[in-house]
Amino acid sequence: MSSPGHRRGRRETGAVQSKATLADRLDAWRSHHGLVATESLRRLLRAPGASLLTWMVIGIALALPASLFVALENMQQLTAGWDGAARVSLFLEDSVNEEAGRRLGQQLARREDVAQSVYVSRQAALEEFSQLSGFGALLSELPENPLPAVVVLQPSLGASSVAAMEQLLLQLGQLPGVELAQMDMKWVQRLYSLMALGKRISLALAFLLGLGVLLVAGNTIRLAIENRRDEIVVTKLVGGTDAYVRRPFLYTGLWYGLGGSIVAWLLLTLLLWWLDDPVGILADLYDSSFELQGLGVSGSLSLALAGIVLGLAGAWLAVTRHLGAIEPR
Amino acid sequence: MIQFDAVSKRYPSGHEALNRVSFRIERDEMVFLTGHSGAGKSTLLKLIMLMEQPSNGQVLVDGQNLRKLGRRQVPYHRRRVGVVFQNHQLLFDRSVFHNVALPLLIAGYHPREAARRVRAALDKVGLLKKETCNPITLSGGEQQRVGIARAVVNKPMVLLADEPTGNLDPGLSSEIMHLFEQFNQVGVTVLIATHDLALIARMPNRTMTLRDGQLFQGQVAAAGAGS
Ligand SMILES: Nc1ncnc2c1ncn2[C@@H]1O[C@H](COP(=O)(O)OP(=O)(O)OP(=O)(O)O)[C@@H](O)[C@H]1O
Ligand SMILES: [Mg+2]
C-alpha cells in the first residue's frame, strides 16, 4: 500500500507536486493542447447531426460573400483590358486649319495624362466615314464636307479613375480651337463604378454575415458550456485555471469555424462548376478566351482563416460571458 | 497549517452556518470534524478550499490568508488542497482513470507521468481493475474511493474529506482510515468531517465538534454528554 512518494521525508510532500522540469512542462503543455484539440473535434464528430448543421449554417454565411468576391474578381479580370478602350474625341472649330490641328495633336501627345493622340483632318474624317458607313456616294453629292476635324486621344489614366478623367475632359474642352471634348466610352466608366459599388456591397455583406457567423459560433458554444457545467465545476474544484477551462471551448470554436470554411469552399466550388459551361459558351460567342477563376490557394487560405478567426472570436465571446458565472457550490 | 480566526459564515439566505469558529490544525495532524447534520461541517471545509468566502474572520492555510488570494491564485491554492467531496463530484462522461487523472493534467503533468501516478493512486484504493469503467457503473462506496484517489493523486499538502466513509462497510471504512493515516504520516495535514462516531472512537486523533455552527473542542463523548 505504499508508493515511492510516501517513503519520502515528511516535509517534502508539499513540494513533490511541482518537481517537473521546464522542458517536461513544455512538452506536457504541447501534448495537452494536442489532446484538447483532438478531444474537442472528437466531441463534435460524436454528434454529427448537430455539428453538421452548425457547419452548414456557418458555411452558407461564409459562401455568400466569398462568391460575391469571386464574381467581382472575375469581372475585374474580364474588364482589365478595357480601360484602354476609353477614347476622347476633340472636335475642332472650323477656324482651325490643318497645320494648327496637327500641331495641337502633337502638343497633346506630350502631356503626361495623354498616352496617344492623332489628328484626323476633315478630309481624312470624310474618307474614313464614307468607307465605314457605305454612304460615300451620298456624301459626295453634298456641296461641302459636313464633318469637323478631330483629335482622337487616349488618356493614360485608364477609365477606372473616374474623377481624374472628368477633370481631363473638362480641361481639354476648354482648349482654344476645341469645340467639344467627348468621351467615347462612358459606359466602361459606368461599369467600373458599378463594380466599385458591388465591392462595397459585398464588403458590407461580408461584415454582416461575418457577424452572423460569430454569433452562431458563440451561441452554439454557449450551449456547449451549459451542457458541460458539471465538468467545468469539477475542473475548477481540482484547481483548473480559467485558461484551462476555456481551452476546450476555444478549440471547439476553431473547429466550427474551420469546418464552416470547408463547407463554404465546397459550395463555392460547386457553384463555379455549375457556371463553368455556360460561361464558356458565352465567352466563345464573344471570341473571348475568358475562363472562370476560382478562389485559388491564397483565396482558399483566406477563407479558412476568416472562418477560424470568426469561430474563435465567437467562442471567446461566449466563454468570457458565461464561464465566469459557473462556480463550484 | 490550517487556522480559523473567529470565522463566521452567513449564507445569502440569512442562515448562519458558522459562528465565530476558531481553531488551529498543525502540519502533521490528522483531525476529525463531527457534529449533527446541518452543523456546518461541509461549510467549514468549503471555506478552506475557497468554494465559499467567510462573512467574518480569517482563514489561513500554510500561513496564507485566503482573503488576500486574488481570483487568479485560487486554482493554485486548490491544487494544494485535495478534497473528497460528500457528493463525490465525479464526471460520468469519462472513465475512472480519466476522473483521477484530471488534477494531474490540470497541473501540467505529462500524460505518461500522469498515468503512472493515477495507477498508483487507484491501486491504493483498491480500484485498479476498474480504471476503464465509467464511475456511474460503480457502487457508492467505489465511487467514494475514486473520489479519494482523485484527492490524493496530486500529493496535496492538505487533505479534506467530507463523509469519506459514508457509503462504506466497516471493514472498508477502517481501511480508508488507515490510508488517511498513511498520508498523514508522510506529512499531509488531514481533516475529516464525519458522522461515524464509532469509527472516531477507535481512532486516537483529535476531534472537533460543531453544534449549530459553534465549535466545541475536545472529545466527542464529552461534547455529546454536554448537550
Ligand atoms: N448554499 C447554501 N445556501 C444556504 N444555506 C446553506 C447553503 N449550504 C448550506 N447551507 C445551510 O448551512 C447549514 C450547514 O450546512 P452544511 O452543509 O455545512 O452542514 P453539514 O454539517 O455538512 O451537514 P451534513 O452532515 O448533513 O452534511 C445547513 O443548515 C444548511 O441548510
Ligand atoms: Mg455536509
Side-chain angles (χ1 to χ4, degrees):
Chain A
M1 291 270 276
S2 86
S3 79
H6 295 116
R7 263 181 251 118
R8 274 169 221 285
R10 295 194 138 217
R11 300 284 152 207
E12 271 185 5
T13 315
V16 168
Q17 57 178 325
S18 58
K19 71 171 181 189
T21 68
L22 189 67
D24 271 358
R25 283 190 169 251
L26 210 69
D27 189 26
W29 184 84
R30 249 203 314 264
S31 76
H32 165 69
H33 270 262
L35 218 66
V36 174
T38 46
E39 175 54 29
S40 342
L41 182 59
R42 210 172 295 140
R43 213 172 257 276
L44 289 185
L45 295 178
R46 237 179 281 149
S51 303
L52 198 66
L53 202 70
T54 308
W55 278 325
M56 289 295 284
V57 170
I58 292 177
I60 290 168
L62 287 175
L64 252 148
S67 44
L68 272 175
F69 275 118
V70 167
L72 281 171
E73 281 294 312
N74 275 297
M75 286 283 275
Q76 234 152 28
Q77 170 119 3
L78 183 67
T79 59
W82 292 3
D83 326 29
R87 279 199 171 73
V88 177
S89 301
L90 303 181
F91 297 98
L92 303 182
E93 284 164 6
D94 285 349
S95 59
V96 180
N97 64 21
E98 198 165 326
E99 201 194 328
R102 221 172 276 287
R103 223 174 23 241
L104 180 65
Q106 283 159 6
Q107 267 172 18
L108 286 174
R110 285 196 288 275
R111 280 180 67 129
E112 222 164 70
D113 47 5
V114 173
Q116 214 182 346
S117 109
V118 179
Y119 171 74
V120 182
S121 69
R122 299 182 63 186
Q123 192 52 42
L126 184 67
E127 276 164 21
E128 196 180 325
F129 181 72
S130 51
Q131 230 172 46
L132 288 175
S133 65
F135 288 129
L138 186 71
L139 283 170
S140 61
E141 297 287 307
L142 290 175
E144 66 176 305
N145 181 356
L147 297 178
V150 188
V151 174
V152 177
L153 58 81
Q154 196 183 330
S156 56
L157 297 164
S160 42
S161 40
V162 179
M165 193 68 107
E166 293 292 346
Q167 190 64 32
L168 178 66
L169 205 59
L170 204 70
Q171 276 179 22
L172 293 175
Q174 281 163 358
L175 287 177
V178 173
E179 171 109 53
L180 178 69
Q182 195 171 26
M183 169 104 63
D184 294 348
M185 297 293 273
K186 269 237 146 83
W187 70 272
V188 174
Q189 289 189 327
R190 293 204 181 107
L191 182 67
Y192 278 114
S193 318
L194 274 176
M195 276 164 59
L197 184 67
K199 202 159 213 166
R200 288 236 167 159
I201 289 175
S202 27
L203 266 177
L205 213 66
F207 177 77
L208 286 177
L209 289 167
L211 203 65
V213 168
L214 196 129
L215 294 179
V216 167
N219 194 49
T220 313
I221 283 167
R222 182 182 65 79
L223 293 176
I225 290 173
E226 225 23 75
N227 281 335
R228 293 172 72 181
R229 203 184 182 85
D230 291 346
E231 184 183 348
I232 293 166
V233 165
V234 171
T235 303
K236 285 191 172 180
L237 279 179
V238 297
T241 55
D242 288 349
Y244 185 93
V245 175
R246 220 165 15 218
R247 204 163 293 140
F249 298 105
L250 293 182
Y251 272 108
T252 306
L254 185 150
W255 291 128
Y256 275 138
L258 184 63
S261 306
I262 292 172
V263 170
W265 190 88
L266 289 174
L267 287 175
L268 202 58
T269 308
L270 205 69
L271 182 74
L272 287 170
W273 171 79
W274 172 250
L275 292 181
D276 200 41
D277 271 355
V279 167
I281 291 168
L282 204 63
D284 272 351
L285 287 176
Y286 279 91
D287 274 337
S288 159
S289 62
F290 174 75
E291 259 183 63
L292 217 46
Q293 299 292 308
L295 268 179
V297 175
S298 73
S300 305
L301 288 180
S302 307
L303 181 61
L305 194 71
I308 287 174
V309 166
L310 288 172
L312 267 178
W316 187 267
L317 219 73
V319 156
T320 42
R321 266 187 59 91
H322 301 288
L323 269 191
I326 302 179
E327 281 294 336
R329 280 278 168 268
Chain B
M1 181 54 94
I2 304 173
Q3 187 179 336
F4 274 51
D5 290 334
V7 172
S8 299
K9 173 65 188 178
R10 183 188 294 275
Y11 280 108
S13 62
H15 182 84
E16 182 135 61
L18 291 178
N19 186 1
R20 296 189 61 80
V21 170
S22 299
F23 65 86
R24 240 180 107 90
I25 299 176
E26 301 306 328
R27 187 178 288 267
D28 50 7
E29 265 192 298
M30 169 152 144
V31 175
F32 286 106
L33 177 65
T34 186
H36 62 88
S37 180
K41 303 182 293 294
S42 298
T43 302
L44 192 149
L45 297 186
K46 281 177 183 172
L47 291 178
I48 299 176
M49 66 157 333
L50 282 173
M51 282 169 75
E52 295 289 353
Q53 294 281 349
S55 321
N56 266 307
Q58 295 187 333
V59 180
L60 282 81
V61 175
D62 197 20
Q64 168 73 54
N65 187 341
L66 297 191
R67 230 182 241 292
K68 301 215 169 96
L69 279 184
R71 185 182 148 74
R72 296 174 149 275
Q73 291 163 299
V74 170
Y76 300 98
H77 167 70
R78 287 183 182 155
R79 288 180 197 181
R80 301 190 301 165
V81 180
V83 186
V84 182
F85 297 95
Q86 191 166 9
N87 53 357
H88 313 328
Q89 297 274 21
L90 298 179
L91 292 173
F92 298 130
D93 65 345
R94 61 195 71 191
S95 67
V96 165
F97 178 94
H98 284 109
N99 266 280
V100 178
L102 190 61
L104 296 178
L105 296 183
I106 285 172
Y109 279 89
H110 194 281
R112 246 192 331 260
E113 169 69 2
R116 201 182 61 71
R117 289 188 181 223
V118 169
R119 299 229 161 80
L122 281 175
D123 190 26
K124 246 181 247 142
V125 296
L127 284 178
L128 197 48
K129 284 206 195 82
K130 303 268 186 185
E131 62 170 317
T132 57
C133 297
N134 186 308
I136 206 156
T137 65
L138 302 184
S139 74
E142 285 168 334
Q143 289 187 11
Q144 197 110 29
R145 284 184 281 155
V146 175
I148 292 170
R150 186 183 62 191
V152 301
V153 74
N154 198 18
K155 311 236 162 84
M157 275 183 345
V158 176
L159 180 59
L160 308 177
D162 201 349
E163 299 292 351
T165 57
N167 290 307
L168 304 183
D169 58 65
L172 214 49
S173 292
S174 36
E175 224 172 278
I176 293 298
M177 281 304 152
H178 183 61
L179 197 62
F180 286 149
E181 277 186 312
Q182 282 186 344
F183 284 113
N184 180 236
Q185 273 156 24
V186 295
V188 180
T189 311
V190 182
L191 176 57
I192 302 167
T194 180
H195 283 124
D196 195 343
L197 299 183
L199 188 83
I200 296 173
R202 290 202 301 274
M203 309 283 290
N205 309 76
R206 173 153 74 105
T207 300
M208 303 193 300
T209 306
L210 274 173
R211 202 184 308 144
D212 287 327
Q214 300 212 24
L215 189 65
F216 294 78
Q217 304 262 0
Q219 284 303 112
V220 200
S227 62

